[in-house]
DNA sequence: CTTCTACTTGAAATCCTTTACAATTGGAAA
DNA sequence: TTTCCAATTGTAAAGGATTTCAAGTAGAAG
């Protein structure tokens, strides 16, 4: 790589001091027009770019932010990350991704990476990650919070006080149940059950709660399901485990990705949707309108989440902003997979 | 945020000099056991983490890498980014994403961001970005290359010498054409044509080339198509523009994402696949096995691309490694959408 | 009890910028 | 011509680590 020029090299060639070059570059007012143009000429000539590490060291800001996610190949998180990246860059910040795997406990070593790099803030959208037992999450994040502001995009984390933006999917599940109930369904199964993660737990809770209120029969399995293939298997197991007369007439699936596998399995079993089985997913992914039949689902505005969470994070540094929780209401997008459109 | 401790604070409390603390932390051998444990006790007590900007300034390394992509919501790029991130983190590097939009020309201002941050290297997987006229790409990337190593994951860029890993999709398209030809197809259309981007242009070239060689009738449209909705429209337009007798009997689609829309349109027009129309996509996305019917496609091992490109990038700094090009051969994955499985 | 060697340790320079403060310059007012 | 003030510019001190080189210590050998 070519030897990089420093501000001193520029200063020397322009016949001024380093301080003056710095002032010109940062648009400081106290610089005469003449020197400013002279300096700028040299800067342009050599294409000088100040070293952001040196600047960051002095200003105690890396102008870099982080995002903690379990995956970016999952379109839900990809959308959050993408929107956050866009917003960060627009404001002159770089965005780094840190992956905290599904089921992995968050460790001090993990967040030490962010602390060493002196990030200016972090977005946490743990999703599956947030195992409740043992629950390290609040402790570890609280420690991280002593170093940088955090904004979370997931159901509020008990024991952690920070700005939090999320969509109330318990409510979403209630909407889904009510919709199916209104169509006459009495036996409904939930695919993707697990008691291990909060974001899924929330959906389950909404599902069971509303099923109870309406006096319907809820069916579910205790498994952590998060891929199409797992959805395919789970559907098979569920239906095989029940006599045909006890089959649910509708399935609510934890997310659209898993629903892909569910739809496939139902098709393979020769069922016609929505006649033989109604299906509702969650997340409204780019592919959800293109399944066969198109999938009824809950809209979660991930772009908006990512963007506004990032905006909050950027503000958190400057203003003495108070943490707050912003809950969004998901909309049921009715397509052919559940009938009743 | 809490006031952060410096190495001097630790040194003072441990009764040693900053140099010694530094040595202990970096595992330097010339430190007595006794001092080492004493220092470590204080480090642990205050949870001291060295400031990576200060270290980076001195060592001329930010331990940070970048990826330039047109999108992370597109599963193709998401997979590359994800694998690259994993590999970078495993080696103690952070990974930042920089988005260069579809159709956007790469500018000096764009890469200035990376230069200012003194990234240790960058992965370029431009995709659609690489407009050929006017072709700024080689110039701008060559300039960037003077500051940091580059590895590209896309067809080789004329005028740019750097390590390059990609899958030969011209060959892939030939395989697709041959497969269809063997099944008796004579009229085949390409959906997603454009002369504006290299990565797509390469596919087109392979398609037309092989069609010619086999003496088949190639049909295509001049449009830049890269979403399911665009695929849906393009299919409609193509078929409406032709008398039914002139219809192609098979469609090759620029990628699986677009193929989602193509499948949907064909279904809406009442066609049964593969009887009335054969379809082949490209990329083998996670959803491609779950379309109706499951989509025949070309396997592009994006994970592997991302991982090994990152490995090359990491090595590029240390060893005096020579740039090389690694071409991979795509495999045709035959599923129900094209018949002949 | 010296002398030498091999470890340990510390002092100080360095990385590159920003910024508070001091110094200089020029022109206006007296 | 002096005096004063404002506008420019420069000096030097951070900022927080790493690393070279020199100094110090302790133990072994004579």
């Amino acid at each position: 790589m070519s030897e990089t020029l420093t501000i001193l090299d520029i200063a020397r060639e322009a016949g001024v001091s380093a301080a003056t070059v710095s002032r010109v570059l940062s648009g400081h007012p106290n610089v005469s027009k003449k020197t400013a143009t002279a300096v700028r000429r040299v800067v342009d000539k050599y294409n000088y770019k100040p070293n952001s590490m040196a600047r960051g060291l002095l200003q105690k800001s890396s102008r870099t932010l982080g995002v903690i996610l379990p995956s970016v190949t999952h379109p839900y998180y990809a959308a959050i990350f993408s929107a956050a990246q866009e917003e960060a860059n627009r404001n002159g910040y770089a965005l780094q991704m840190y992956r905290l795997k599904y089921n992995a406990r968050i460790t001090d070593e993990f967040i030490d990476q962010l602390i060493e790099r002196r990030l200016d803030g972090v977005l946490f959208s743990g999703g599956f990650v947030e195992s409740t037992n043992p629950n390290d999450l609040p402790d570890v994040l609280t420690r991280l919070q002593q170093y940088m502001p955090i904004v979370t995009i997931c159901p509020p984390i008990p024991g952690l006080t920070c700005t939090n933006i999320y969509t109330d999917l318990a409510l979403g599940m209630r909407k889904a149940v009510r919709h199916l109930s209104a169509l006459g369904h009495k036996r409904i199964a939930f695919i993707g059950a697990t008691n291990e993660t909060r974001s899924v737990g929330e959906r389950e809770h909404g599902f069971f709660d509303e099923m109870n209120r309406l006096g319907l029969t809820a069916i579910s399995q205790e498994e952590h399901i998060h891929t199409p293939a797992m959805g395919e298997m789970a559907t098979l197991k569920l239906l095989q485990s029940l006599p045909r007369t006890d089959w649910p007439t509708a399935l609510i699936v934890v997310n659209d990705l898993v629903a892909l596998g569910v739809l496939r399995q139902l098709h393979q079993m020769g069922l016609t949707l929505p006649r033989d089985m109604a299906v509702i997913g969650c997340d409204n992914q780019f592919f959800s309108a293109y399944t066969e039949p198109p999938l009824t689902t809950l809209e979660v505005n991930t772009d908006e989440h990512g963007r506004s969470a990032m905006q909050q994070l950027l503000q958190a540094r400057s203003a003495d902003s108070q943490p707050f929780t912003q809950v969004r209401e998901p909309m049921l997008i009715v397509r052919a997979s559940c009938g009743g459109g």
Side-chain angles (χ1 to χ4, degrees), chain A:
Chain A
M1 306 297 101
S2 70
E3 67 312 326
T4 315
L5 296 181
T6 73
I7 200 169
L8 271 175
D9 299 315
I10 303 301
R12 210 169 298 136
E13 171 124 357
V16 298
S17 73
T20 301
V21 176
S22 174
R23 277 188 281 254
V24 171
L25 260 46
S26 61
H28 194 94
N30 286 357
V31 172
S32 76
K33 275 248 183 298
K34 205 173 53 137
T35 3
T37 54
V39 168
R40 245 184 281 277
R41 190 187 335 271
V42 181
V43 167
D44 288 346
K45 174 175 170 194
Y46 294 106
N47 227 294
Y48 165 74
K49 297 293 158 205
N51 183 326
S52 70
M53 286 186 283
R55 173 194 285 142
L57 185 57
L58 202 51
Q59 297 183 158
K60 295 178 182 302
S61 159
S62 59
R63 295 230 128 210
T64 301
L65 303 165
V67 176
I68 300 178
L69 299 172
S71 157
V72 266
T73 51
H74 192 303
Y76 173 86
Y77 296 106
I80 289 178
F81 182 70
S82 178
Q85 190 277 334
E86 198 83 37
E87 190 64 23
N89 255 28
R90 231 169 46 75
N91 288 276
Y93 284 78
L95 189 61
Q96 305 183 161
M97 173 186 157
Y98 292 87
R99 176 165 180 209
L100 184 55
K101 295 209 179 90
Y102 294 119
N103 305 321
R105 291 174 56 177
I106 190 167
T107 61
D108 281 326
E109 292 73 50
F110 185 85
I111 67 160
D112 282 350
Q113 299 176 74
L114 318 196
I115 297 173
E116 280 194 51
R117 290 177 180 279
R118 301 294 190 266
L119 299 192
D120 287 345
V122 66
L123 237 52
F124 180 91
S125 184
F128 290 109
V129 140
E130 317 146 42
S131 67
T132 48
N133 186 20
N135 198 340
D136 333 275
L137 197 58
D139 294 345
V140 178
L141 289 185
T142 298
R143 181 165 92 85
L144 180 57
Q145 210 175 15
Q146 292 167 358
Y147 295 90
M148 60 190 76
I150 302 180
V151 172
T152 56
I153 309 181
C154 56
I157 298 168
L160 181 75
T161 306
C162 71
T163 293
N164 173 241
I165 295 178
Y166 80 111
T167 292
D168 185 355
L169 288 174
L171 172 58
M173 287 296 148
R174 288 198 188 91
K175 286 189 178 186
V177 169
R178 267 179 252 144
H179 183 78
L180 291 172
S181 171
L183 293 176
H185 293 276
K186 303 262 185 286
R187 299 176 58 80
I188 308 175
F190 186 83
I191 305 269
T194 169
N195 51 6
E196 282 187 6
T197 73
R198 292 183 319 110
S199 65
V200 173
E202 185 205 35
R203 296 175 208 193
E204 268 191 286
H205 178 261
F207 170 76
F208 284 113
D209 194 54
E210 192 66 20
M211 290 294 285
N212 276 342
R213 279 165 41 92
L214 298 178
L216 306 179
T217 306
I219 306 170
S220 80
Q221 298 167 288
E222 293 299 320
E223 273 186 283
H224 192 179
I225 295 167
H226 57 89
T227 65
M230 291 168 116
E232 203 171 352
M233 277 306 298
T235 305
L236 181 65
K237 264 170 57 178
L238 174 72
L239 297 185
Q240 280 186 338
S241 72
L242 297 170
R244 183 104 193 196
T245 48
D246 289 354
W247 274 17
T249 60
L251 305 177
I252 293 181
V253 187
V254 68
N255 66 43
D256 287 358
L257 198 63
V258 172
L260 277 181
V262 173
L263 292 181
R264 169 128 217 81
Q265 186 59 252
L266 295 176
H267 183 263
Q268 276 175 336
M269 295 175 87
L271 303 182
T272 300
L273 274 53
R275 194 193 62 191
D276 302 331
M277 188 72 79
V279 175
I280 296 183
C282 182
D283 287 350
N284 192 32
Q285 297 298 350
F286 62 83
F287 55 78
S288 304
Y290 295 93
T291 56
E292 185 47 46
L295 186 62
T296 293
T297 189
L298 288 159
E299 167 85 47
V300 176
N301 201 334
T302 35
D303 280 13
E304 186 54 27
H305 284 194
R307 192 176 318 113
S308 54
M310 181 51 76
Q311 284 165 354
Q312 292 309 324
L313 192 59
L314 289 166
Q315 278 181 232
R317 287 186 60 78
S318 47
D320 43 1
S321 56
Q322 288 306 305
F324 65 90
T325 292
Q326 181 184 316
V327 187
R328 303 192 180 221
E329 183 168 333
M331 204 170 61
L332 186 70
I333 301 192
V334 178
R335 300 204 185 96
S337 73
C338 73

